[in-house]
Amino acid sequence: MASSDELPGPYPARDGGEIPPGDPTTMKTMMIDKGAAMLQSLKPIKQMSLHMCSFACYGHDPSRQIEVHFYVHRVNEDFLQCAVYDCDSAKTHLIGIEYIVSERLFESLSSEEQKLWHSHDYEIQTGLLVTPRVPELVAKPELQNIAKTYGKFWCTWQTDRGDKLPLGAPALMMSPQDVNIGKIKPGLLKKRDDEYGMSTESLKTSRADIVGLERKNPMADYWVHHGKGLAVDIIQTDMKKCAPFP
C-alpha cells in the first residue's frame, strides 16, 4: 500500500451510499453521547480556538488539491497543533492532522525531517488561507505570525478520492506554491469564495504588507526546490519480540 493515487485495494463501500457507511445514530446512542458530554471535561477539544480554511496539495502529486479546514490548538507561541477536516459542516470528516512550528523550531530539525514540512507565507499573502467569518482586520495579526511558520500535514482519509473509510497509508500534504502545478485550480477557489461570500483576489491586495520568512529554508517545500515528491509505503518487517532491558 502507498499514499499514491492507486487505491489500496477494492472496498465494497466505495461506490454510492454515505461516507462513512453505517446505520443512522439511534436516539439511545444520542442520549448516551449527551450525558457523557455533560459529565466529561473534553479539555483537549476545548483548547481549539481558531478555525482556518485553506487548500493543500498531495506531496506526491501537487495537481491533486483539496479544500481543508484547520481547527487550531495553540500549545505555545512556537507550536500549534491542528485537527484537519474536509469541510466545516456538522457532517464533516476528520481527514488528518497538521503541526505548525516557528522558524526557530524548524531550524532545529534535521535536514531529513525538514523535507516533510512546508511554508505558509505564499498561501497567506495570496489570500488562500483565511479565518472564516472573522474580519480581516481582526485576523491580520494572527496571519502575520503564521506567515513565518512551517507546517507538517498528514492526510489519513482521502475523501476526495472517494474513500468511504480511511484507507491505506497516510499521505504527506504540501501547501500551494507559486509554481505551475502548485497553483490552486480556479474552480476550487470559486467554490470556497462563493460559500463564504468573499474574494480571494481582494484579500491578496489587502495583504500586500504581510511579510513572510526572511530566509526560507530550501529543505522546506522540497518538491519545489528539488523536483521530487514524497510518499509513504507500508512494508512488512520483522517484529521486535523482546523488550529492551530497562
Side-chain angles (χ1 to χ4, degrees), residues 35-228:
M38 292 173 63
L39 296 172
Q40 296 179 321
S41 66
L42 304 179
K43 287 181 181 178
I45 304 300
K46 292 178 179 177
Q47 303 311 304
M48 295 179 184
S49 57
L50 177 65
H51 168 209
M52 301 189 300
C53 174
S54 188
F55 301 90
C57 309
Y58 281 85
H60 64 281
D61 180 5
S63 68
R64 276 186 69 193
Q65 303 168 351
I66 57 174
E67 180 181 318
V68 285
H69 294 260
F70 305 95
Y71 289 84
V72 185
H73 168 197
R74 188 189 312 280
V75 178
N76 57 44
E77 288 296 322
D78 291 272
F79 186 88
L80 309 177
Q81 54 190 16
C82 316
V84 187
Y85 294 84
D86 59 0
C87 68
D88 68 349
S89 76
K91 293 186 176 181
T92 188
H93 307 101
L94 178 64
I95 63 169
I97 54 172
E98 175 160 352
Y99 301 105
I100 297 174
V101 299
S102 65
E103 183 177 16
R104 180 174 67 87
L105 290 186
F106 179 80
E107 292 298 340
S108 71
L109 302 174
S110 70
S111 58
E112 282 300 304
E113 174 62 28
Q114 289 174 341
K115 291 179 183 179
L116 307 178
W117 297 71
H118 58 262
S119 61
H120 291 125
D121 51 355
Y122 174 77
E123 59 183 313
I124 289 177
Q125 292 166 339
T126 56
L128 296 176
L129 190 151
V130 299
T131 53
R133 305 180 183 89
V134 176
E136 186 75 358
L137 187 63
V138 176
K140 206 162 189 181
E142 184 66 72
L143 296 173
Q144 288 172 330
N145 290 335
I146 295 173
K148 296 183 178 181
T149 63
Y150 294 92
K152 180 165 71 170
F153 173 10
W154 291 105
C155 176
T156 55
W157 189 353
Q158 299 184 40
T159 54
D160 67 299
R161 191 172 64 178
D163 293 3
K164 304 298 184 184
L165 292 172
L167 302 175
L172 184 67
M173 308 297 283
M174 294 298 169
S175 61
Q177 298 294 327
D178 191 20
V179 294
N180 187 35
I181 58 173
K183 292 182 178 179
I184 296 303
K185 297 168 184 174
L188 279 175
L189 278 177
K190 185 179 186 308
K191 176 180 174 294
R192 202 271 302 271
D193 284 2
D194 290 348
E195 182 177 353
Y196 289 117
M198 56 182 285
S199 167
T200 299
E201 274 301 312
S202 296
L203 290 177
K204 181 178 179 179
T205 303
S206 70
R207 295 179 182 182
D209 59 336
I210 291 182
V211 179
L213 294 155
E214 204 168 301
R215 188 194 73 83
K216 192 180 295 186
N217 191 304
M219 296 307 291
D221 307 318
Y222 189 79
W223 63 276
V224 175
H225 303 293
H226 303 273
K228 295 289 185 181

Side-chain angles (χ1 to χ4, degrees), residues 5-26:
D5 295 317
E6 184 179 349
L7 299 176
Y11 188 79
R14 284 190 52 78
D15 300 320
E18 294 294 319
I19 302 177
D23 294 330
T25 305
T26 65

